[in-house]
Amino acid sequence: MPGFRDIVGHKEAIQHLESAMKLDKVSHAYIINGEKGSGKKLLASAFAQVLQCERKEKDSCGECRSCRQAESGNHPDIIRIVHEKPNSISVDEIREQLVNDVQIKPYSSKYKIYIVPEAEKLTVQAQNALLKTIEEPPFYAVIILLTVNASTLLPTVLSRCVMLNMKPVSDKQVRQYLMEHVQIPDYQADICSAFSHGNIGRAMELATSEKFQEIKSAVLALARDAANMEIQDIIVSVKSMVDFKLFIEDFFDLLAVWYCDVLYFKATKDVDGLAFKDQVQMISDQTSKSSYEGLERILDGIQKAKQRINANVNFELTMELLFMTIKESLA
């Protein structure tokens, strides 16, 4: 379990927490809101460890008894709420693990900290039970709700918590993190960072995913051959796309990144701004054969294909229309 020093990005959230500790104004209730993989659990764990550290200044020491317990996941005063049903956290679970337990004073620390992952799954009854504790907490209690969608929480809960929103990490920071921790080459880190939209968890998943590499290869093959495809070639390509049906959003997004690269390079000739830096020769070739209007039509076609798939339009028909749009726009 790391301290703040090991978190990439999220400076505003960290500075808020550091300031609260420095001024001895730690809130009894926080909501950390952000998409899956954005670092909510990491931030909550680091905050908990820093709060409980016996030698802390701005960060945890990593050496005291409290830090060692936190890092091993065995700290008696850092409690993580668990739930049996995958889609809900019941009122009984909240009462047993938090509402009743919080009445017991900390075993060895200044604070007793409760981390509630997937707080969007709290039932209304569970939230109401939790609300009473948030309204009148023991002086030592700190409750941290982690959620991908804070709007699912009751207004009464939202109004009594400090909200920390996880913001995207810069592509540069994501790229550096991947190269250092996953040890992938720079050109692969470029793609994963551009495609992750500032989400390090997502970038890590992509960097280690064989399926993502297959989708990338399919995108490059389409980009290379689209202009010269005949109808029969398009039909064959569409049939091969069925293998990616469950990952079609990734395919669309990666295809959009490719044509954004072509459009960007056509306008600027700047290699450093490309996601597909390792394909600069093919990008350069396509810019000379593509018009701005044609590239805009392709990007619009990708967006329409996404909308059709989400509206349950026939998969093969949607892909045929997209491939025809790409072919005609590059002619």
Side-chain angles (χ1 to χ4, degrees), residues 218 222 226-227 229-230 233-241 248 251-252 255 259 298 301 305 315-330:
L222 175 62
M229 277 184 171
E230 301 297 338
D233 298 324
I234 289 176
I235 293 172
V236 171
S237 294
V238 167
K239 290 188 181 299
S240 71
M241 287 304 302
I248 199 61
F251 178 84
F252 288 148
L255 192 63
Y259 284 108
I298 291 172
F315 179 81
E316 292 190 12
L317 175 60
T318 297
M319 299 308 292
E320 286 176 16
L321 288 171
L322 174 60
F323 286 16
M324 285 296 298
T325 297
I326 294 173
K327 172 182 169 59
E328 293 170 357
S329 298
L330 295 175

PDB file of all heavy atoms in Angstrom, residues 218 222 226-227 229-230 233-241 248 251-252 255 259 298 301 305 315-330:
ATOM      1  N   ALA A 218      -5.708  -5.408 -36.548  1.00  0.00           N
ATOM      2  CA  ALA A 218      -6.842  -5.346 -37.465  1.00  0.00           C
ATOM      3  C   ALA A 218      -7.068  -3.916 -37.955  1.00  0.00           C
ATOM      4  O   ALA A 218      -7.388  -3.689 -39.134  1.00  0.00           O
ATOM      5  CB  ALA A 218      -8.098  -5.869 -36.771  1.00  0.00           C
ATOM      6  N   LEU A 222      -6.835  -2.649 -41.857  1.00  0.00           N
ATOM      7  CA  LEU A 222      -7.911  -1.916 -42.513  1.00  0.00           C
ATOM      8  C   LEU A 222      -7.411  -0.583 -43.042  1.00  0.00           C
ATOM      9  O   LEU A 222      -7.717  -0.195 -44.178  1.00  0.00           O
ATOM     10  CB  LEU A 222      -9.059  -1.696 -41.526  1.00  0.00           C
ATOM     11  CG  LEU A 222     -10.224  -0.833 -42.039  1.00  0.00           C
ATOM     12  CD1 LEU A 222     -10.891  -1.495 -43.235  1.00  0.00           C
ATOM     13  CD2 LEU A 222     -11.246  -0.584 -40.926  1.00  0.00           C
ATOM     14  N   ALA A 226      -7.975  -0.251 -46.953  1.00  0.00           N
ATOM     15  CA  ALA A 226      -9.347   0.232 -47.153  1.00  0.00           C
ATOM     16  C   ALA A 226      -9.574   0.879 -48.509  1.00  0.00           C
ATOM     17  O   ALA A 226     -10.578   0.614 -49.170  1.00  0.00           O
ATOM     18  CB  ALA A 226      -9.723   1.209 -46.042  1.00  0.00           C
ATOM     19  N   ALA A 227      -8.650   1.722 -48.954  1.00  0.00           N
ATOM     20  CA  ALA A 227      -8.854   2.475 -50.196  1.00  0.00           C
ATOM     21  C   ALA A 227      -8.964   1.565 -51.410  1.00  0.00           C
ATOM     22  O   ALA A 227      -9.638   1.916 -52.397  1.00  0.00           O
ATOM     23  CB  ALA A 227      -7.710   3.474 -50.395  1.00  0.00           C
ATOM     24  N   MET A 229     -10.081  -1.695 -51.346  1.00  0.00           N
ATOM     25  CA  MET A 229     -10.981  -2.827 -51.129  1.00  0.00           C
ATOM     26  C   MET A 229     -12.102  -2.870 -52.171  1.00  0.00           C
ATOM     27  O   MET A 229     -12.714  -1.846 -52.483  1.00  0.00           O
ATOM     28  CB  MET A 229     -11.616  -2.734 -49.731  1.00  0.00           C
ATOM     29  CG  MET A 229     -10.761  -3.280 -48.613  1.00  0.00           C
ATOM     30  SD  MET A 229     -11.693  -3.223 -47.044  1.00  0.00           S
ATOM     31  CE  MET A 229     -10.593  -4.149 -45.980  1.00  0.00           C
ATOM     32  N   GLU A 230     -12.376  -4.066 -52.665  1.00  0.00           N
ATOM     33  CA  GLU A 230     -13.566  -4.300 -53.470  1.00  0.00           C
ATOM     34  C   GLU A 230     -14.688  -4.756 -52.535  1.00  0.00           C
ATOM     35  O   GLU A 230     -14.447  -5.070 -51.368  1.00  0.00           O
ATOM     36  CB  GLU A 230     -13.276  -5.365 -54.529  1.00  0.00           C
ATOM     37  CG  GLU A 230     -12.143  -5.015 -55.480  1.00  0.00           C
ATOM     38  CD  GLU A 230     -12.431  -3.780 -56.327  1.00  0.00           C
ATOM     39  OE1 GLU A 230     -13.627  -3.438 -56.500  1.00  0.00           O
ATOM     40  OE2 GLU A 230     -11.476  -3.150 -56.803  1.00  0.00           O
ATOM     41  N   ASP A 233     -14.013  -7.941 -50.807  1.00  0.00           N
ATOM     42  CA  ASP A 233     -13.007  -7.789 -49.745  1.00  0.00           C
ATOM     43  C   ASP A 233     -13.654  -7.241 -48.470  1.00  0.00           C
ATOM     44  O   ASP A 233     -13.325  -7.661 -47.348  1.00  0.00           O
ATOM     45  CB  ASP A 233     -11.892  -6.840 -50.189  1.00  0.00           C
ATOM     46  CG  ASP A 233     -11.136  -7.363 -51.399  1.00  0.00           C
ATOM     47  OD1 ASP A 233     -10.956  -8.591 -51.487  1.00  0.00           O
ATOM     48  OD2 ASP A 233     -10.740  -6.539 -52.239  1.00  0.00           O
ATOM     49  N   ILE A 234     -14.564  -6.300 -48.638  1.00  0.00           N
ATOM     50  CA  ILE A 234     -15.243  -5.705 -47.489  1.00  0.00           C
ATOM     51  C   ILE A 234     -16.086  -6.754 -46.761  1.00  0.00           C
ATOM     52  O   ILE A 234     -16.076  -6.839 -45.533  1.00  0.00           O
ATOM     53  CB  ILE A 234     -16.125  -4.518 -47.936  1.00  0.00           C
ATOM     54  CG1 ILE A 234     -15.222  -3.348 -48.351  1.00  0.00           C
ATOM     55  CG2 ILE A 234     -17.083  -4.076 -46.817  1.00  0.00           C
ATOM     56  CD1 ILE A 234     -15.967  -2.155 -48.902  1.00  0.00           C
ATOM     57  N   ILE A 235     -16.788  -7.576 -47.534  1.00  0.00           N
ATOM     58  CA  ILE A 235     -17.621  -8.624 -46.926  1.00  0.00           C
ATOM     59  C   ILE A 235     -16.759  -9.597 -46.125  1.00  0.00           C
ATOM     60  O   ILE A 235     -17.105  -9.972 -44.995  1.00  0.00           O
ATOM     61  CB  ILE A 235     -18.410  -9.378 -48.017  1.00  0.00           C
ATOM     62  CG1 ILE A 235     -19.449  -8.436 -48.644  1.00  0.00           C
ATOM     63  CG2 ILE A 235     -19.089 -10.623 -47.432  1.00  0.00           C
ATOM     64  CD1 ILE A 235     -20.154  -8.998 -49.851  1.00  0.00           C
ATOM     65  N   VAL A 236     -15.610  -9.983 -46.685  1.00  0.00           N
ATOM     66  CA  VAL A 236     -14.695 -10.892 -45.984  1.00  0.00           C
ATOM     67  C   VAL A 236     -14.179 -10.236 -44.700  1.00  0.00           C
ATOM     68  O   VAL A 236     -14.118 -10.866 -43.635  1.00  0.00           O
ATOM     69  CB  VAL A 236     -13.517 -11.298 -46.893  1.00  0.00           C
ATOM     70  CG1 VAL A 236     -12.452 -12.055 -46.095  1.00  0.00           C
ATOM     71  CG2 VAL A 236     -14.008 -12.153 -48.053  1.00  0.00           C
ATOM     72  N   SER A 237     -13.821  -8.963 -44.786  1.00  0.00           N
ATOM     73  CA  SER A 237     -13.298  -8.244 -43.618  1.00  0.00           C
ATOM     74  C   SER A 237     -14.352  -8.129 -42.523  1.00  0.00           C
ATOM     75  O   SER A 237     -14.057  -8.282 -41.330  1.00  0.00           O
ATOM     76  CB  SER A 237     -12.825  -6.845 -44.022  1.00  0.00           C
ATOM     77  OG  SER A 237     -11.714  -6.927 -44.885  1.00  0.00           O
ATOM     78  N   VAL A 238     -15.590  -7.853 -42.934  1.00  0.00           N
ATOM     79  CA  VAL A 238     -16.674  -7.735 -41.955  1.00  0.00           C
ATOM     80  C   VAL A 238     -16.881  -9.053 -41.227  1.00  0.00           C
ATOM     81  O   VAL A 238     -17.068  -9.086 -40.003  1.00  0.00           O
ATOM     82  CB  VAL A 238     -17.980  -7.290 -42.646  1.00  0.00           C
ATOM     83  CG1 VAL A 238     -19.168  -7.471 -41.709  1.00  0.00           C
ATOM     84  CG2 VAL A 238     -17.878  -5.824 -43.073  1.00  0.00           C
ATOM     85  N   LYS A 239     -16.847 -10.164 -41.958  1.00  0.00           N
ATOM     86  CA  LYS A 239     -17.014 -11.476 -41.320  1.00  0.00           C
ATOM     87  C   LYS A 239     -15.901 -11.728 -40.302  1.00  0.00           C
ATOM     88  O   LYS A 239     -16.129 -12.305 -39.237  1.00  0.00           O
ATOM     89  CB  LYS A 239     -17.046 -12.575 -42.371  1.00  0.00           C
ATOM     90  CG  LYS A 239     -18.314 -12.575 -43.222  1.00  0.00           C
ATOM     91  CD  LYS A 239     -18.379 -13.783 -44.117  1.00  0.00           C
ATOM     92  CE  LYS A 239     -19.648 -13.739 -44.973  1.00  0.00           C
ATOM     93  NZ  LYS A 239     -20.880 -13.740 -44.162  1.00  0.00           N
ATOM     94  N   SER A 240     -14.680 -11.281 -40.601  1.00  0.00           N
ATOM     95  CA  SER A 240     -13.578 -11.472 -39.663  1.00  0.00           C
ATOM     96  C   SER A 240     -13.743 -10.602 -38.419  1.00  0.00           C
ATOM     97  O   SER A 240     -13.207 -10.917 -37.354  1.00  0.00           O
ATOM     98  CB  SER A 240     -12.237 -11.157 -40.336  1.00  0.00           C
ATOM     99  OG  SER A 240     -12.098  -9.765 -40.575  1.00  0.00           O
ATOM    100  N   MET A 241     -14.521  -9.503 -38.544  1.00  0.00           N
ATOM    101  CA  MET A 241     -14.715  -8.592 -37.413  1.00  0.00           C
ATOM    102  C   MET A 241     -15.622  -9.175 -36.334  1.00  0.00           C
ATOM    103  O   MET A 241     -15.671  -8.670 -35.215  1.00  0.00           O
ATOM    104  CB  MET A 241     -15.313  -7.265 -37.895  1.00  0.00           C
ATOM    105  CG  MET A 241     -14.348  -6.381 -38.659  1.00  0.00           C
ATOM    106  SD  MET A 241     -12.861  -6.017 -37.703  1.00  0.00           S
ATOM    107  CE  MET A 241     -13.564  -5.256 -36.270  1.00  0.00           C
ATOM    108  N   ILE A 248     -15.915  -4.251 -29.675  1.00  0.00           N
ATOM    109  CA  ILE A 248     -16.068  -3.356 -30.816  1.00  0.00           C
ATOM    110  C   ILE A 248     -15.871  -1.893 -30.448  1.00  0.00           C
ATOM    111  O   ILE A 248     -15.415  -1.091 -31.270  1.00  0.00           O
ATOM    112  CB  ILE A 248     -17.445  -3.582 -31.489  1.00  0.00           C
ATOM    113  CG1 ILE A 248     -17.436  -3.027 -32.915  1.00  0.00           C
ATOM    114  CG2 ILE A 248     -18.572  -2.996 -30.656  1.00  0.00           C
ATOM    115  CD1 ILE A 248     -16.426  -3.681 -33.824  1.00  0.00           C
ATOM    116  N   PHE A 251     -12.309  -1.273 -30.852  1.00  0.00           N
ATOM    117  CA  PHE A 251     -11.971  -1.187 -32.285  1.00  0.00           C
ATOM    118  C   PHE A 251     -12.321   0.189 -32.833  1.00  0.00           C
ATOM    119  O   PHE A 251     -11.501   0.830 -33.512  1.00  0.00           O
ATOM    120  CB  PHE A 251     -12.714  -2.276 -33.062  1.00  0.00           C
ATOM    121  CG  PHE A 251     -12.467  -2.221 -34.547  1.00  0.00           C
ATOM    122  CD1 PHE A 251     -11.345  -2.831 -35.098  1.00  0.00           C
ATOM    123  CD2 PHE A 251     -13.345  -1.547 -35.394  1.00  0.00           C
ATOM    124  CE1 PHE A 251     -11.106  -2.774 -36.470  1.00  0.00           C
ATOM    125  CE2 PHE A 251     -13.107  -1.484 -36.762  1.00  0.00           C
ATOM    126  CZ  PHE A 251     -11.992  -2.105 -37.297  1.00  0.00           C
ATOM    127  N   PHE A 252     -13.522   0.672 -32.545  1.00  0.00           N
ATOM    128  CA  PHE A 252     -13.937   1.986 -33.039  1.00  0.00           C
ATOM    129  C   PHE A 252     -13.023   3.086 -32.499  1.00  0.00           C
ATOM    130  O   PHE A 252     -12.614   3.987 -33.247  1.00  0.00           O
ATOM    131  CB  PHE A 252     -15.383   2.284 -32.619  1.00  0.00           C
ATOM    132  CG  PHE A 252     -16.421   1.487 -33.354  1.00  0.00           C
ATOM    133  CD1 PHE A 252     -17.595   1.125 -32.716  1.00  0.00           C
ATOM    134  CD2 PHE A 252     -16.234   1.095 -34.668  1.00  0.00           C
ATOM    135  CE1 PHE A 252     -18.568   0.388 -33.379  1.00  0.00           C
ATOM    136  CE2 PHE A 252     -17.192   0.356 -35.340  1.00  0.00           C
ATOM    137  CZ  PHE A 252     -18.369  -0.009 -34.691  1.00  0.00           C
ATOM    138  N   LEU A 255      -9.601   2.903 -34.147  1.00  0.00           N
ATOM    139  CA  LEU A 255      -9.711   3.358 -35.536  1.00  0.00           C
ATOM    140  C   LEU A 255      -9.807   4.878 -35.590  1.00  0.00           C
ATOM    141  O   LEU A 255      -9.184   5.527 -36.457  1.00  0.00           O
ATOM    142  CB  LEU A 255     -10.945   2.718 -36.183  1.00  0.00           C
ATOM    143  CG  LEU A 255     -11.073   2.835 -37.706  1.00  0.00           C
ATOM    144  CD1 LEU A 255      -9.926   2.112 -38.407  1.00  0.00           C
ATOM    145  CD2 LEU A 255     -12.422   2.263 -38.170  1.00  0.00           C
ATOM    146  N   TYR A 259      -7.251   7.690 -37.548  1.00  0.00           N
ATOM    147  CA  TYR A 259      -7.611   8.737 -38.507  1.00  0.00           C
ATOM    148  C   TYR A 259      -7.446  10.144 -37.925  1.00  0.00           C
ATOM    149  O   TYR A 259      -7.227  11.098 -38.677  1.00  0.00           O
ATOM    150  CB  TYR A 259      -9.019   8.496 -39.061  1.00  0.00           C
ATOM    151  CG  TYR A 259      -9.003   7.369 -40.074  1.00  0.00           C
ATOM    152  CD1 TYR A 259      -9.553   6.125 -39.788  1.00  0.00           C
ATOM    153  CD2 TYR A 259      -8.374   7.543 -41.308  1.00  0.00           C
ATOM    154  CE1 TYR A 259      -9.501   5.086 -40.696  1.00  0.00           C
ATOM    155  CE2 TYR A 259      -8.310   6.511 -42.228  1.00  0.00           C
ATOM    156  CZ  TYR A 259      -8.866   5.282 -41.923  1.00  0.00           C
ATOM    157  OH  TYR A 259      -8.780   4.252 -42.835  1.00  0.00           O
ATOM    158  N   ILE A 298     -14.851  10.137 -42.420  1.00  0.00           N
ATOM    159  CA  ILE A 298     -14.501   8.870 -41.781  1.00  0.00           C
ATOM    160  C   ILE A 298     -14.734   8.944 -40.273  1.00  0.00           C
ATOM    161  O   ILE A 298     -15.339   8.049 -39.676  1.00  0.00           O
ATOM    162  CB  ILE A 298     -13.033   8.494 -42.077  1.00  0.00           C
ATOM    163  CG1 ILE A 298     -12.873   8.131 -43.557  1.00  0.00           C
ATOM    164  CG2 ILE A 298     -12.582   7.325 -41.193  1.00  0.00           C
ATOM    165  CD1 ILE A 298     -11.430   7.929 -43.983  1.00  0.00           C
ATOM    166  N   GLY A 301     -18.258   8.849 -39.626  1.00  0.00           N
ATOM    167  CA  GLY A 301     -18.768   7.494 -39.868  1.00  0.00           C
ATOM    168  C   GLY A 301     -18.493   6.565 -38.694  1.00  0.00           C
ATOM    169  O   GLY A 301     -19.319   5.713 -38.354  1.00  0.00           O
ATOM    170  N   ALA A 305     -21.274   4.661 -36.507  1.00  0.00           N
ATOM    171  CA  ALA A 305     -21.217   3.207 -36.314  1.00  0.00           C
ATOM    172  C   ALA A 305     -21.373   2.864 -34.834  1.00  0.00           C
ATOM    173  O   ALA A 305     -22.084   1.911 -34.472  1.00  0.00           O
ATOM    174  CB  ALA A 305     -19.912   2.653 -36.865  1.00  0.00           C
ATOM    175  N   PHE A 315     -25.023  -5.956 -36.675  1.00  0.00           N
ATOM    176  CA  PHE A 315     -23.577  -5.751 -36.588  1.00  0.00           C
ATOM    177  C   PHE A 315     -22.913  -5.719 -37.959  1.00  0.00           C
ATOM    178  O   PHE A 315     -22.157  -4.803 -38.286  1.00  0.00           O
ATOM    179  CB  PHE A 315     -22.955  -6.860 -35.729  1.00  0.00           C
ATOM    180  CG  PHE A 315     -21.460  -6.770 -35.586  1.00  0.00           C
ATOM    181  CD1 PHE A 315     -20.895  -5.904 -34.663  1.00  0.00           C
ATOM    182  CD2 PHE A 315     -20.625  -7.535 -36.386  1.00  0.00           C
ATOM    183  CE1 PHE A 315     -19.512  -5.809 -34.530  1.00  0.00           C
ATOM    184  CE2 PHE A 315     -19.247  -7.446 -36.263  1.00  0.00           C
ATOM    185  CZ  PHE A 315     -18.694  -6.594 -35.333  1.00  0.00           C
ATOM    186  N   GLU A 316     -23.198  -6.748 -38.780  1.00  0.00           N
ATOM    187  CA  GLU A 316     -22.523  -6.843 -40.080  1.00  0.00           C
ATOM    188  C   GLU A 316     -22.916  -5.686 -40.996  1.00  0.00           C
ATOM    189  O   GLU A 316     -22.071  -5.141 -41.716  1.00  0.00           O
ATOM    190  CB  GLU A 316     -22.827  -8.188 -40.731  1.00  0.00           C
ATOM    191  CG  GLU A 316     -22.196  -9.367 -39.978  1.00  0.00           C
ATOM    192  CD  GLU A 316     -22.274 -10.677 -40.737  1.00  0.00           C
ATOM    193  OE1 GLU A 316     -22.611 -10.657 -41.937  1.00  0.00           O
ATOM    194  OE2 GLU A 316     -21.990 -11.726 -40.132  1.00  0.00           O
ATOM    195  N   LEU A 317     -24.181  -5.288 -40.969  1.00  0.00           N
ATOM    196  CA  LEU A 317     -24.616  -4.149 -41.786  1.00  0.00           C
ATOM    197  C   LEU A 317     -23.899  -2.875 -41.347  1.00  0.00           C
ATOM    198  O   LEU A 317     -23.434  -2.079 -42.180  1.00  0.00           O
ATOM    199  CB  LEU A 317     -26.128  -3.974 -41.664  1.00  0.00           C
ATOM    200  CG  LEU A 317     -26.723  -2.746 -42.378  1.00  0.00           C
ATOM    201  CD1 LEU A 317     -26.440  -2.816 -43.873  1.00  0.00           C
ATOM    202  CD2 LEU A 317     -28.227  -2.641 -42.108  1.00  0.00           C
ATOM    203  N   THR A 318     -23.787  -2.672 -40.034  1.00  0.00           N
ATOM    204  CA  THR A 318     -23.096  -1.486 -39.506  1.00  0.00           C
ATOM    205  C   THR A 318     -21.645  -1.446 -39.964  1.00  0.00           C
ATOM    206  O   THR A 318     -21.139  -0.396 -40.393  1.00  0.00           O
ATOM    207  CB  THR A 318     -23.155  -1.478 -37.965  1.00  0.00           C
ATOM    208  OG1 THR A 318     -24.513  -1.384 -37.543  1.00  0.00           O
ATOM    209  CG2 THR A 318     -22.372  -0.307 -37.391  1.00  0.00           C
ATOM    210  N   MET A 319     -20.969  -2.584 -39.890  1.00  0.00           N
ATOM    211  CA  MET A 319     -19.561  -2.624 -40.276  1.00  0.00           C
ATOM    212  C   MET A 319     -19.392  -2.435 -41.779  1.00  0.00           C
ATOM    213  O   MET A 319     -18.457  -1.761 -42.228  1.00  0.00           O
ATOM    214  CB  MET A 319     -18.928  -3.938 -39.830  1.00  0.00           C
ATOM    215  CG  MET A 319     -18.960  -4.171 -38.314  1.00  0.00           C
ATOM    216  SD  MET A 319     -18.306  -2.799 -37.330  1.00  0.00           S
ATOM    217  CE  MET A 319     -16.563  -2.883 -37.794  1.00  0.00           C
ATOM    218  N   GLU A 320     -20.297  -3.003 -42.580  1.00  0.00           N
ATOM    219  CA  GLU A 320     -20.214  -2.802 -44.030  1.00  0.00           C
ATOM    220  C   GLU A 320     -20.363  -1.332 -44.393  1.00  0.00           C
ATOM    221  O   GLU A 320     -19.624  -0.798 -45.233  1.00  0.00           O
ATOM    222  CB  GLU A 320     -21.300  -3.625 -44.731  1.00  0.00           C
ATOM    223  CG  GLU A 320     -21.002  -5.122 -44.774  1.00  0.00           C
ATOM    224  CD  GLU A 320     -22.136  -5.919 -45.397  1.00  0.00           C
ATOM    225  OE1 GLU A 320     -23.004  -5.298 -46.057  1.00  0.00           O
ATOM    226  OE2 GLU A 320     -22.155  -7.155 -45.234  1.00  0.00           O
ATOM    227  N   LEU A 321     -21.326  -0.658 -43.745  1.00  0.00           N
ATOM    228  CA  LEU A 321     -21.516   0.773 -44.008  1.00  0.00           C
ATOM    229  C   LEU A 321     -20.272   1.573 -43.616  1.00  0.00           C
ATOM    230  O   LEU A 321     -19.866   2.500 -44.334  1.00  0.00           O
ATOM    231  CB  LEU A 321     -22.740   1.284 -43.232  1.00  0.00           C
ATOM    232  CG  LEU A 321     -24.107   0.831 -43.741  1.00  0.00           C
ATOM    233  CD1 LEU A 321     -25.204   1.223 -42.746  1.00  0.00           C
ATOM    234  CD2 LEU A 321     -24.396   1.438 -45.111  1.00  0.00           C
ATOM    235  N   LEU A 322     -19.665   1.214 -42.493  1.00  0.00           N
ATOM    236  CA  LEU A 322     -18.463   1.921 -42.054  1.00  0.00           C
ATOM    237  C   LEU A 322     -17.319   1.705 -43.027  1.00  0.00           C
ATOM    238  O   LEU A 322     -16.644   2.659 -43.434  1.00  0.00           O
ATOM    239  CB  LEU A 322     -18.056   1.450 -40.650  1.00  0.00           C
ATOM    240  CG  LEU A 322     -16.732   2.010 -40.120  1.00  0.00           C
ATOM    241  CD1 LEU A 322     -16.762   3.537 -40.046  1.00  0.00           C
ATOM    242  CD2 LEU A 322     -16.409   1.421 -38.746  1.00  0.00           C
ATOM    243  N   PHE A 323     -17.098   0.457 -43.433  1.00  0.00           N
ATOM    244  CA  PHE A 323     -15.994   0.162 -44.340  1.00  0.00           C
ATOM    245  C   PHE A 323     -16.201   0.841 -45.690  1.00  0.00           C
ATOM    246  O   PHE A 323     -15.248   1.318 -46.314  1.00  0.00           O
ATOM    247  CB  PHE A 323     -15.849  -1.353 -44.524  1.00  0.00           C
ATOM    248  CG  PHE A 323     -15.238  -2.050 -43.330  1.00  0.00           C
ATOM    249  CD1 PHE A 323     -15.154  -1.440 -42.081  1.00  0.00           C
ATOM    250  CD2 PHE A 323     -14.740  -3.347 -43.439  1.00  0.00           C
ATOM    251  CE1 PHE A 323     -14.599  -2.080 -40.986  1.00  0.00           C
ATOM    252  CE2 PHE A 323     -14.182  -4.007 -42.344  1.00  0.00           C
ATOM    253  CZ  PHE A 323     -14.117  -3.364 -41.123  1.00  0.00           C
ATOM    254  N   MET A 324     -17.456   0.896 -46.160  1.00  0.00           N
ATOM    255  CA  MET A 324     -17.740   1.587 -47.418  1.00  0.00           C
ATOM    256  C   MET A 324     -17.474   3.085 -47.282  1.00  0.00           C
ATOM    257  O   MET A 324     -16.924   3.719 -48.195  1.00  0.00           O
ATOM    258  CB  MET A 324     -19.203   1.351 -47.829  1.00  0.00           C
ATOM    259  CG  MET A 324     -19.468  -0.041 -48.385  1.00  0.00           C
ATOM    260  SD  MET A 324     -18.558  -0.356 -49.942  1.00  0.00           S
ATOM    261  CE  MET A 324     -19.270   0.895 -51.018  1.00  0.00           C
ATOM    262  N   THR A 325     -17.834   3.649 -46.136  1.00  0.00           N
ATOM    263  CA  THR A 325     -17.575   5.076 -45.902  1.00  0.00           C
ATOM    264  C   THR A 325     -16.077   5.368 -45.930  1.00  0.00           C
ATOM    265  O   THR A 325     -15.643   6.361 -46.525  1.00  0.00           O
ATOM    266  CB  THR A 325     -18.159   5.506 -44.528  1.00  0.00           C
ATOM    267  OG1 THR A 325     -19.560   5.339 -44.533  1.00  0.00           O
ATOM    268  CG2 THR A 325     -17.817   6.960 -44.217  1.00  0.00           C
ATOM    269  N   ILE A 326     -15.291   4.490 -45.298  1.00  0.00           N
ATOM    270  CA  ILE A 326     -13.830   4.679 -45.290  1.00  0.00           C
ATOM    271  C   ILE A 326     -13.282   4.587 -46.703  1.00  0.00           C
ATOM    272  O   ILE A 326     -12.498   5.438 -47.141  1.00  0.00           O
ATOM    273  CB  ILE A 326     -13.168   3.649 -44.366  1.00  0.00           C
ATOM    274  CG1 ILE A 326     -13.587   3.891 -42.906  1.00  0.00           C
ATOM    275  CG2 ILE A 326     -11.643   3.734 -44.487  1.00  0.00           C
ATOM    276  CD1 ILE A 326     -13.120   2.823 -41.941  1.00  0.00           C
ATOM    277  N   LYS A 327     -13.707   3.564 -47.443  1.00  0.00           N
ATOM    278  CA  LYS A 327     -13.219   3.366 -48.824  1.00  0.00           C
ATOM    279  C   LYS A 327     -13.544   4.567 -49.703  1.00  0.00           C
ATOM    280  O   LYS A 327     -12.664   5.116 -50.394  1.00  0.00           O
ATOM    281  CB  LYS A 327     -13.838   2.103 -49.419  1.00  0.00           C
ATOM    282  CG  LYS A 327     -13.548   1.899 -50.912  1.00  0.00           C
ATOM    283  CD  LYS A 327     -14.221   0.658 -51.445  1.00  0.00           C
ATOM    284  CE  LYS A 327     -14.146   0.612 -52.967  1.00  0.00           C
ATOM    285  NZ  LYS A 327     -12.755   0.627 -53.484  1.00  0.00           N
ATOM    286  N   GLU A 328     -14.814   5.009 -49.653  1.00  0.00           N
ATOM    287  CA  GLU A 328     -15.240   6.114 -50.508  1.00  0.00           C
ATOM    288  C   GLU A 328     -14.600   7.436 -50.121  1.00  0.00           C
ATOM    289  O   GLU A 328     -14.334   8.299 -50.966  1.00  0.00           O
ATOM    290  CB  GLU A 328     -16.763   6.228 -50.476  1.00  0.00           C
ATOM    291  CG  GLU A 328     -17.469   5.037 -51.121  1.00  0.00           C
ATOM    292  CD  GLU A 328     -18.961   5.048 -50.861  1.00  0.00           C
ATOM    293  OE1 GLU A 328     -19.439   5.952 -50.132  1.00  0.00           O
ATOM    294  OE2 GLU A 328     -19.643   4.135 -51.359  1.00  0.00           O
ATOM    295  N   SER A 329     -14.323   7.613 -48.835  1.00  0.00           N
ATOM    296  CA  SER A 329     -13.739   8.874 -48.360  1.00  0.00           C
ATOM    297  C   SER A 329     -12.249   8.977 -48.680  1.00  0.00           C
ATOM    298  O   SER A 329     -11.668  10.077 -48.653  1.00  0.00           O
ATOM    299  CB  SER A 329     -13.945   9.020 -46.861  1.00  0.00           C
ATOM    300  OG  SER A 329     -15.322   9.065 -46.542  1.00  0.00           O
ATOM    301  N   LEU A 330     -11.627   7.837 -48.958  1.00  0.00           N
ATOM    302  CA  LEU A 330     -10.204   7.829 -49.304  1.00  0.00           C
ATOM    303  C   LEU A 330      -9.973   7.789 -50.809  1.00  0.00           C
ATOM    304  O   LEU A 330      -8.840   7.824 -51.275  1.00  0.00           O
ATOM    305  CB  LEU A 330      -9.505   6.625 -48.660  1.00  0.00           C
ATOM    306  CG  LEU A 330      -9.464   6.618 -47.133  1.00  0.00           C
ATOM    307  CD1 LEU A 330      -8.854   5.311 -46.615  1.00  0.00           C
ATOM    308  CD2 LEU A 330      -8.657   7.800 -46.597  1.00  0.00           C
TER     309      LEU A 330
END
